[in-house]
Amino acid sequence: MEPRRTVAALFIACFALLGSTQAVSLEVKEGNTTCIRAELSASFSITYNTSSGTSMVDVSLPDSAAVDPAESSCGTNGSPSWLVAVFGSGHALQLTFASNGSVYSMANLSLQYNLSDSSLFPGSNSSDVVTVVSSSLGIWATLNTTYRCNSPVSFNVGGVTVTFRDMRLEAYMPGNDLSDTESICTADQAMTTAPPTTNSTTTTATTTAATTTAPAPTPPGTPDRGRYSVLNGTGTECLLAHMGLQLNVSYFSRPQNKTIQSLVNLNPKLVNSSGSCEATTALLTLTQEQSVVINFTFTLNASTSRYHLSAISLFANWPDMTRPLLTGNASLNYLQSTLGHSYMCNAERVLAVAPDFSLNTFSLQVQPFDVTSNQFGTAEECQVDRDQMLIPIIVGATLAGLVLIVLIAYLIGRKKSHAGYQTI
Ligand SMILES: *[C@@H]1O[C@H](CO)[C@@H](O)[C@H](O)[C@H]1NC(C)=O
Ligand SMILES: *[C@@H]1O[C@H](CO)[C@@H](O)[C@H](O)[C@H]1NC(C)=O
Ligand SMILES: *[C@@H]1O[C@H](CO)[C@@H](O)[C@H](O)[C@H]1NC(C)=O
Ligand SMILES: *[C@@H]1O[C@H](CO)[C@@H](O)[C@H](O)[C@H]1NC(C)=O
Ligand SMILES: *[C@@H]1O[C@H](CO)[C@@H](O)[C@H](O)[C@H]1NC(C)=O
Ligand SMILES: *[C@@H]1O[C@H](CO)[C@@H](O)[C@H](O)[C@H]1NC(C)=O
Ligand SMILES: *[C@@H]1O[C@H](CO)[C@@H](O)[C@H](O)[C@H]1NC(C)=O
Ligand SMILES: *[C@@H]1O[C@H](CO)[C@@H](O)[C@H](O)[C@H]1NC(C)=O
Ligand SMILES: *[C@@H]1O[C@H](CO)[C@@H](O)[C@H](O)[C@H]1NC(C)=O
Ligand SMILES: *[C@@H]1O[C@H](CO)[C@@H](O)[C@H](O)[C@H]1NC(C)=O
Ligand SMILES: *[C@@H]1O[C@H](CO)[C@@H](O)[C@H](O)[C@H]1NC(C)=O
């Protein structure tokens, strides 16, 4: 290969690595027949302990991931089937499917990662192989159709944020190729105005259909307030978040040839919400078209019955970026409140997340746990709001005091002058 070509090839390889995750093809076979086929990009946002604290890494399912036929199973007569993809040194992703004769669903997902792998987990103070499992992901489709979801969708799997995108998969396949009929996830349905082929759902979109628009950063101003929610397995709202959001990120802009500070408002009409609710962690994922994904992780301390916003991660991909921005922080302690209550802050709040990312919130009210009858519990207000409530009280009290002083002075004065008259 000539040197120039080698350089070009290297360049392309670098871009492929730097760019968003690549689609991986996986297949489970029994004899000559394929029972599960999955084409997807997956990334895992994993927090681990180091000697000096915690670190967060984003691991992508690499191209080299391969199905382990010995660990995978097609099941018999519609019993559960599963796909195990192994990658790197001792990491594995398992997708388990179940069917009831008319639909199939991803019954659970498990991820195994090996903290001894210092290329992925530099500085980890543990060498454990960790396995996290999650059930009820809401990924299902009618039998003999392909489940399709191009939009990024995230799930909280035992503290790890798993994000899938460009996903096409099928289990209990009638043939060896993906079925032509597709079941399209709601996140994708919201993105195009075209009607879906068949019905399917993954996540709880609260926005109405929107046509695609240029993801050009909206100039600042107060962002519109979005009403986001997450549904649990039984279709009731288990997390509520009403808020206006503004991203403040710094990144290298290719056309401007420098690092710029950019303010971008989220547009609730273009945002899909999804997530998951578990006993002590709740995840809210907001996706604005293909360009922004924000994950909010809330943690409940069961012994104190207090919760807080413990992690925020951001994926942003704007046209002027040289590569997508992935940033976040898993040791936050914002929006603290008590179980059964909501947290409210009408005033603008600045949540510092990472050196290159802070989040400004407006008219915020959230409740990540213990939501009953789709409504917020009693609000616990932030200090700023309480201080602002105090201002009218203080002003009122001061005015009342002044009036009182003037009145007393007047009465005293009147009495004195009255006394004066009498002496004359
Ligand atoms: C698989 O296919 C090959 C050739 O197409 C055939 O020889 C073989 O018998 C098949 N095996 C099974 C289990 O069907
Ligand atoms: C980090 O260490 C703490 C305290 O030992 C432990 O509770 C926690 O599970 C560890 N986190 C991870 C991701 O291993
Ligand atoms: C690793 O670090 C965490 C916190 O930094 C600590 O709680 C934990 O005990 C450490 N684990 C080991 C095996 O040293
Ligand atoms: C975990 O990674 C270490 C270092 O790369 C390797 O020696 C070990 O075999 C791996 N463990 C498993 C279960 O694969
Ligand atoms: C299978 O599950 C779906 C979704 O839960 C349900 O609508 C359908 O009625 C079920 N079908 C059977 C045969 O149980
Ligand atoms: C995953 O789902 C299958 C099928 O529903 C079930 O048999 C299995 O026990 C589940 N595994 C876990 C770890 O939840
Ligand atoms: C799926 O396709 C297979 C083979 O074509 C057929 O036997 C089965 O009845 C179909 N199932 C459904 C639910 O349409
Ligand atoms: C955005 O972040 C930069 C750097 O942290 C800060 O100087 C600036 O004031 C922030 N702007 C807004 C509107 O929050
Ligand atoms: C970008 O800026 C650097 C230094 O600031 C300069 O050397 C370089 O030529 C610029 N590139 C373009 C394409 O303008
Ligand atoms: C819960 O809060 C108590 C008291 O602040 C603290 O000691 C404990 O470590 C917390 N538990 C967790 C799981 O964070
Ligand atoms: C994450 O947030 C904590 C608490 O706000 C802060 O101390 C820490 O510096 C942040 N980490 C990064 C990488 O920005």
Side-chain angles (χ1 to χ4, degrees), residues 101-102 143-144 174:
S102 57
L143 275 177
N144 298 352

Side-chain angles (χ1 to χ4, degrees), residues 304-319:
T304 58
S305 291
R306 302 270 301 162
Y307 66 81
H308 65 277
L309 173 59
S310 57
I312 298 180
S313 71
L314 170 73
F315 166 87
N317 191 4
W318 290 307

